[in-house]
Amino acid sequence: MRLITALLQRRALRPIALVVLLLASGQSGAADVPDDFYRAEFVILERIVDPAGIAEQMAGREVPATPDTSETLMAVSQDGQARSTLKLVPANELSLNAAAQRLEASGRYRVLMRAGWYQAFPPDYQGAPLRVSVGPWLDGLNQRAVEGTITIDRKRYLHVDVNLNHWTVDDAPSLSDGIYQAPQRKLVTWIHENRRMRSEEIHFLDSPTIGVLIFFKKVGED
């Protein structure tokens, strides 16, 4: 965490230009910007470590069922096509890019996903879970290594509920009669955390093998 703190403290966050906001939202002027309108940004990273020992620590953990949802933050198919039900802004425009680049430059992390969008989050907003499916493709399991959901709610404050599981393939040994078992999933680690958000602060949620950078900015505030 000391490395993370040092890297994030050196960030230089670029202010959001109102012109970009109006183009993205289709509004015609500043007076049309709705109240409680935010720029939401997420970056998912993988920590470059040997997962073998970590997976053993997770043995026997019961993984909560992933909720059914029709909304997707980012899901990458087997052929590498990324899909989202949100109107994402270009990844190179994200304020989190500087922090993500510094983490990658440290040699200890690789970026798996970058996504940002504009949305109103009024009081008592209850968001649908947003599906996440990123990372290396796991042959034989028909899924990505990092799977789960991210949910945004607001009561008095914005809250983000992150439920991500990091999987690997547990290769089954061949049986004596020559029949092979199908590959099985092995849980490496997870992030199951609910965090209150503060506008214009970078939040970092992490586990031994994956991390999530989160950033919100209320549009229209100086």
Side-chain angles (χ1 to χ4, degrees):
M1 286 300 295
R2 185 175 300 172
L3 169 67
I4 299 298
T5 302
L7 291 171
L8 300 186
Q9 285 176 342
R10 298 202 303 270
R11 71 189 187 276
L13 295 180
R14 181 179 56 186
I16 300 175
L18 186 57
V19 173
V20 176
L21 164 65
L22 297 178
L23 289 174
S25 63
Q27 301 295 333
S28 59
D32 297 323
V33 177
D35 292 337
D36 303 311
F37 205 59
Y38 288 82
R39 168 84 163 254
E41 299 186 11
F42 290 83
V43 173
I44 297 178
L45 307 109
E46 181 181 11
R47 193 189 301 264
I48 301 175
V49 296
D50 182 359
I54 299 170
E56 293 303 322
Q57 300 174 18
M58 303 296 290
R61 298 288 185 95
E62 183 176 350
V63 181
T66 300
D68 292 331
T69 181
S70 61
E71 301 299 322
T72 298
L73 175 54
M74 183 76 69
V76 183
S77 62
Q78 185 175 3
D79 61 4
Q81 296 296 313
R83 182 179 66 87
S84 177
T85 57
L86 303 173
K87 187 176 181 180
L88 301 180
V89 301
N92 61 3
E93 296 181 6
L94 300 183
S95 296
L96 284 178
N97 278 337
Q101 288 167 1
R102 290 189 181 106
L103 290 173
E104 281 200 306
S106 74
R108 302 184 185 182
Y109 293 86
R110 65 172 62 91
V111 172
L112 302 181
M113 184 204 81
R114 293 181 292 173
W117 71 99
Y118 292 101
Q119 184 175 338
F121 297 104
D124 298 321
Y125 173 84
Q126 294 184 335
L130 300 172
R131 183 186 171 215
V132 173
S133 178
V134 296
W137 184 258
L138 301 182
D139 290 330
L141 299 183
N142 197 36
Q143 69 168 67
R144 293 281 166 181
V146 178
E147 299 263 349
T149 60
I150 293 175
T151 307
I152 303 171
D153 294 313
R154 184 180 177 190
K155 296 180 177 65
R156 183 176 179 184
Y157 302 102
L158 279 169
H159 288 261
V160 172
D161 190 37
V162 175
N163 290 279
L164 298 177
N165 301 310
H166 187 188
W167 302 94
T168 190
V169 177
D170 184 13
D171 294 324
S174 60
L175 302 180
S176 58
D177 58 3
I179 299 175
Y180 293 86
Q181 294 180 349
Q184 301 295 313
R185 294 195 306 177
K186 177 186 284 188
L187 182 65
V188 181
T189 189
W190 61 30
I191 298 178
H192 291 175
E193 185 172 347
N194 187 290
R195 179 79 62 89
R196 171 184 163 184
M197 297 288 108
R198 295 181 183 273
S199 184
E200 297 193 66
E201 288 187 8
I202 294 181
H203 298 259
F204 185 67
L205 284 59
D206 72 331
S207 76
T209 63
I210 54 176
V212 182
L213 292 169
I214 309 171
F215 178 75
F216 284 84
K217 178 177 174 63
K218 189 171 184 180
V219 177
E221 289 186 341
D222 295 331

